[in-house]
Amino acid sequence: MKRIIWLIVGIAVGVYAVTRLKKRAQVLAPAGMQESAAKLAAAVRHFGDQVREGMAERETELRDALGIEAQEREDYR
């Protein structure tokens, strides 16, 4: 009876391990790596956009606080 239980446990562990290894292989495959790189690039682009937006808002706040007019902004660009 103990041998049957250990056989069932071994089969379950084997199935679990094979399933996990297949998922890992898909992630590490060239298509999976390309998808991961694309997601990372999109996240970096989004972060850069958010930083630029924040910088523009802060610049506007500082110019308003210092009394610099919009016309002067156009002269420097």
Side-chain angles (χ1 to χ4, degrees):
M1 188 66 169
K2 285 184 181 183
R3 288 183 183 181
I4 293 175
I5 292 174
W6 284 112
L7 177 64
I8 293 170
V9 169
I11 291 171
V13 169
V15 168
Y16 176 76
V18 168
T19 304
R20 294 285 293 178
L21 288 173
K22 281 184 180 180
K23 286 181 184 179
R24 181 60 65 186
Q26 287 175 349
V27 169
L28 295 176
M33 293 297 280
Q34 186 176 12
E35 184 179 324
S36 296
K39 286 180 182 178
L40 177 63
V44 169
R45 258 187 257 111
H46 178 69
F47 176 73
D49 292 343
Q50 294 294 318
V51 169
R52 281 188 287 280
E53 184 179 309
M55 287 171 45
E57 288 176 12
R58 183 64 179 146
E59 181 180 3
T60 302
E61 290 172 2
L62 290 172
R63 287 183 180 276
D64 290 343
L66 294 173
I68 300 173
E69 296 297 321
Q71 181 60 35
E72 292 180 27
R73 276 188 246 170
E74 298 299 322
D75 292 341
Y76 289 111
R77 291 185 181 177

